[in-house]
Amino acid sequence: WCHPIKTIFVTFPGDVIKNMTDFELAESYLKRFGYMEILDKSGQQGALSTSKALRRLQNQLGLKETGKLDQPTIDAIKTPRCGVPDVRN
Amino acid sequence: YQTFDGDLKWDHNDITYRILSYSPDLDASIIDDAFVRAFKVWSDVTPLTFTRLYNGIADIMISFGKKDHGDFYPFDGKDGLLAHAYPPGEGVQGDAHFDDDEYWTLGSGPAIKTYYGNAEGALCHFPFRFEGKSYSTCTTEGREDGLPWCATTADYGKDGKYGFCPSELLYTFDGNGDGQECVFPFVFEGKTYTSCTTEGRDDGYRWCATTANFDQDKKYGFCPNRDTAVIGGNSEGEPCQFPFSFLGKTYTSCTSEGRSDGKLWCATTSNYDKDSKWGFCPDKGYSLFLVAAHEFGHALGLEHSNIQDALMYPMYKYIADFSLHQDDIEGIQYLYGPKTGPDPTPPKPSTTTTSPVSTLKPTKKTPNTTPSTTPTTTPSVYTPVDPSVDPCKVDKFDAITEIQGELHFFKDGYYWKSSNRGNKARKGPFMVSERWPALPAKLDTAFEGSLTNKMYFFAGTKFWVFTGKNVLGPRRIEKLGLPVSLKKVEGALQRGKGKVLLFSGENYWSLDLKTQQIDKGYPRHIDVTFPEVPMDAHDVFLYNRNYYFCRDIYYWRMTSKRQVDKVGYVYELLNCP
C-alpha cells in the first residue's frame, strides 16, 4: 500500500496549453518572443543555436547567463507575461 | 528601457481611447476605472492627456478577446499570454487586447461589485458571516429567487449591509438588450434554452436573450460571470459541481489531478469521465490595472525593459501599492518629455464607483425579496452621489443652461435641475457622466440647440455634440471658426432659429448651428450689445426668454429689449431655501 501512486495526465478538451516538456516549452518560447531568429548585419535572416538564444533570453530577463535551460530560466518562461515579443527584428 | 525602432510615438499629446468590449469577470465600472488609473500612470509623468471616446476611431482601441481574436497573434487560454498591444500608429497600431481566458480581477482575488441592496454598490466582503455560517463566495442562502448576494462587511448579522452579486438574473452587458436581465426560457433557432449559452458564437462568450424569443425579437446580452464560475476550459461561466467523479475517484473540491502544470480545476457536471465538462477554479486572477498600465506603455511607444522591477518588464508580478519605476519614467519622458505645469484637471469626485455607460447597467428593478433578515430598502440603480454636495453652497457654477424647460446647474461632474413651473422642488445631484458620457467633469458652457434638440457642451478648447446618448467629439473649438487663441467659451445665448451667441471674456460670436461656423462680422464687444451687465460674466444663458449673466453667486437679468431689470442671487433660480 505504500507504493507511489502513478500520476496520470489527461488531455482536457479545449485546453490550449498542452502537456509539453520543459525543452519543448523553451523552444516555442524562444521562437515566439524573437530570440531564435535574428537578422545579421547584411540583413540576412539567421537562426541562433538554442544555447545562444537562451543566453539572450537570460540577458533580457536579467537572469544569470548560463546558456542552459536551468531552473530559474524554466520558472521564468512559465511565468504569465505580455504577448509582445522581447526581440524585434 | 527600450523604444520601438525609429522611436515610434504619437505626434499629438491629447490621446484618445475607446473601450470596445468588456470582460464578464468584472463590473464595467471597475474595468473603466482600471483603465482610467492605468492611463493616469503615464499622464502623471508626461504632458500626455487621455480622453475616452464612446464611438468612432480612437488612437487606442481596447478590447477583450480569446484565442484567435482578429489579429495574427492568438491568445493561449488561461495563463501564459495575458495581453498585447501595438506601438503608436494608424489602424491596429496603438490598440490593446486583453486575453479573456484569464480571470481578470484587481490582482488579489474576486472583486465583486454589488447591485441594489443597501450597500450603494460596495464590493463584497469575503469571508462574511450570515446566520452563524461563514461565506467566501456569493450565496443564494436565505432567498427563494435564486439571486446570489453577499455582505459588504464582515458580519451581515451585525451590520446588515448587503448587495446582489453579478448574475444573468440581474443584468447582461453589451449586446443590444440595454442591460436587461436574461429571460429564461428563451428560444433561439427554434430551440429552448434555460441558461446562458455559447451556441451560435465561436468566441466562447456566454449570452442569453432578454426577451422570451430571440428569433423574433433579436434582443440579447452577454452574461456576467458569477464569482463561483470556472475560468476557461470548455465550461466557462458554469459553476463547479461538487462532488464530481474523475477517473473513478470522487472529488469534493478543486484538484490538480490529471494535470502536469499544477493548476486547480473542477468538473462542471457530476461526472467528468462521462461528460468531460471542466474549467479552472477561480484564483487571485490578474490585476487588470497593472496589465493595462503595461500594455498602454507599448501603445505609447515603449518596448520591454530588462529591469525586473520596471512596469515594462514582460513578466507579470502583482504589486499592491504600485508606483512607476524610474526606468519607465525615463523611457516615456524620452519620447514625450516631462510633465510641465500644474495638473490641468481639477479635482473631481472619485471615479472608483463610477457606473458603466447606461447600456450596460441593470434595469431599474427591485429584486423580489431581500435576505431573510433584512428590512426592505430602496434599491439604488444609479451611481451613489455624495448627498453632502449642496448646490446652495456652490459659489460659482461651471455652467447653467435651460434644457427641456428646466434650468440645469453644472458643477464638478454633478448637475441639479430646477424649474419655475409645476413642482418647483430642486432635483439632484445627478452625475453628468450618467446622462452625457464622455464629458469631462469641468464644463464651461452647455446649451440645447433650438432646432434639433442636440446638446452642445464646451470645456476648455474642446466641444461635444450629443444627440441623445450619441456623441460627436471632442472637437476643437477652432473647427467652428473661433480663434485658436481662445481659451474657453463661457456662455451661450440661443437666438432665433439656428443661431447661438457664444461668449468669452468681453467678446461674443454668432454661431450658425446649421453650418457649424461662426458668422462673419464677429467677434463683437459685449458692451455694445449688452450694456449694464458685468464684463467678466462666467455663465451666460437664456431662460424664459431673458438673458442671464452670472458672476459668482449673482446674476444680472436682461430682457429681450436689452434692459437689465433685476439683479439677484443664483440660488433663487435654484429654488434654494
Side-chain angles (χ1 to χ4, degrees), chain B residues 57-71:
Chain B
I57 295 171
D59 296 322
I60 299 173
M61 305 282 256
I62 302 167
S63 58
F64 291 84
K66 300 176 182 184
K67 301 177 182 111
D68 286 307
H69 56 278
D71 58 14

Side-chain angles (χ1 to χ4, degrees), chain A residues 22-86:
Chain A
D22 288 344
F23 189 77
E24 288 169 334
L25 185 65
E27 279 216 314
S28 99
Y29 191 99
L30 292 168
K31 278 181 192 157
R32 181 193 284 269
F33 296 108
Y35 292 101
M36 286 295 265
E37 298 193 343
I38 56 155
L39 294 177
D40 63 22
K41 285 177 185 168
S42 63
Q44 295 292 307
Q45 186 121 341
L48 283 184
S49 68
T50 304
S51 173
K52 278 190 180 172
L54 276 173
R55 276 185 189 279
R56 292 191 75 187
L57 168 78
Q58 288 159 343
N59 175 278
Q60 173 68 22
L61 300 187
L63 305 172
K64 191 176 174 189
E65 292 179 45
T66 63
K68 290 176 184 163
L69 191 57
D70 49 25
Q71 197 56 46
T73 310
I74 293 169
D75 292 343
I77 65 177
K78 285 185 176 174
T79 305
R81 58 162 290 161
C82 170
V84 174
D86 297 330

Side-chain angles (χ1 to χ4, degrees), chain B residues 19 58 173-174 182 211 214 231 252 254 280 298 325 336 347 363 386 437 445 451-452 459 476 527 531 541 558 567:
Chain B
I19 302 169
F173 68 98
D174 288 350
C182 295
T211 67
F214 177 83
I231 314 295
T252 55
C254 297
F280 294 107
H298 289 310
H325 191 278
Y336 297 98
T363 51
D386 184 355
T445 290
L451 284 176
T452 57
R476 296 199 156 273
D527 199 28
F541 57 92
M558 179 180 265
V567 178

Side-chain angles (χ1 to χ4, degrees), chain B residues 307-318:
Chain B
I307 307 278
Q308 290 192 359
D309 288 333
L311 175 64
M312 293 314 294
Y313 190 69
M315 270 66 172
Y316 174 84
K317 182 168 70 176
Y318 175 66

Side-chain angles (χ1 to χ4, degrees), chain B residues 391 406 415-419 423-430 574:
Chain B
E406 289 181 301
Y415 71 94
W416 295 262
K417 297 192 281 190
S418 76
S419 172
N423 180 5
K424 292 186 178 179
R426 185 179 66 250
K427 288 177 246 171
F430 304 99
L574 196 51

Side-chain angles (χ1 to χ4, degrees), chain B residues 52-311:
Chain B
R52 181 174 175 183
L53 301 187
Y54 289 80
N55 48 33
I57 295 171
D59 296 322
I60 299 173
M61 305 282 256
I62 302 167
S63 58
F64 291 84
K66 300 176 182 184
K67 301 177 182 111
D68 286 307
H69 56 278
D71 58 14
F72 293 104
Y73 301 95
F75 289 129
D76 57 355
K78 192 175 182 311
D79 303 321
L81 305 180
L82 306 181
H84 56 222
Y86 294 83
E90 298 283 321
V92 74
Q93 301 296 109
D95 295 355
H97 301 162
F98 296 84
D99 183 358
D100 223 350
D101 273 329
E102 310 304 343
Y103 181 34
W104 292 110
T105 64
L106 297 179
S108 56
I112 311 294
K113 180 181 157 66
T114 59
Y115 294 83
Y116 306 105
N118 59 5
E120 297 184 338
L123 298 183
C124 290
H125 188 291
F126 295 129
F128 67 89
R129 291 193 70 76
F130 171 58
E131 294 187 342
K133 206 173 152 191
S134 180
Y135 293 84
S136 296
T137 61
C138 298
T139 179
T140 56
E141 284 295 314
R143 299 191 61 82
E144 292 173 352
D145 56 9
L147 282 173
W149 68 278
C150 70
T152 58
T153 65
D155 190 339
Y156 175 79
K158 181 165 155 252
D159 305 312
K161 287 284 183 187
Y162 79 101
F164 293 97
C165 302
S167 89
E168 69 283 2
L169 304 176
L170 211 57
Y171 69 94
T172 57
F173 68 98
D174 288 350
N176 62 358
D178 291 333
Q180 297 272 356
E181 72 274 25
C182 295
V183 171
F184 296 124
F186 68 89
V187 176
F188 169 55
E189 293 187 340
K191 199 175 154 193
T192 300
Y193 291 83
T194 55
S195 61
C196 297
T197 180
T198 57
E199 284 297 314
R201 303 191 62 85
D202 55 14
D203 57 11
Y205 281 97
R206 297 162 63 243
W207 69 279
C208 68
T210 54
T211 67
N213 193 326
F214 177 83
D215 298 339
Q216 185 185 301
D217 304 319
K218 308 285 185 206
K219 289 285 185 188
Y220 77 103
F222 293 98
C223 302
N225 279 351
R226 295 187 178 206
D227 64 323
T228 50
V230 299
I231 314 295
N234 59 0
S235 304
E236 166 94 25
E238 302 290 328
C240 290
Q241 177 70 51
F242 298 123
F244 67 90
S245 60
F246 171 57
L247 299 179
K249 205 173 150 191
T250 300
Y251 292 83
T252 55
S253 61
C254 297
T255 178
S256 61
E257 283 298 311
R259 300 192 64 86
S260 60
D261 55 13
K263 289 179 193 169
L264 292 171
W265 69 277
C266 69
T268 55
T269 68
S270 60
N271 192 329
Y272 175 86
D273 302 328
K274 178 167 151 264
D275 304 317
S276 296
K277 299 295 278 182
W278 71 285
F280 294 107
C281 297
D283 48 26
K284 288 195 168 186
Y286 296 108
S287 163
L288 182 62
F289 159 69
L290 288 174
V291 176
H294 174 101
E295 298 308 328
F296 296 160
H298 289 310
L300 296 175
L302 289 178
E303 281 217 271
H304 283 147
S305 166
N306 57 5
I307 307 278
Q308 290 192 359
D309 288 333
L311 175 64

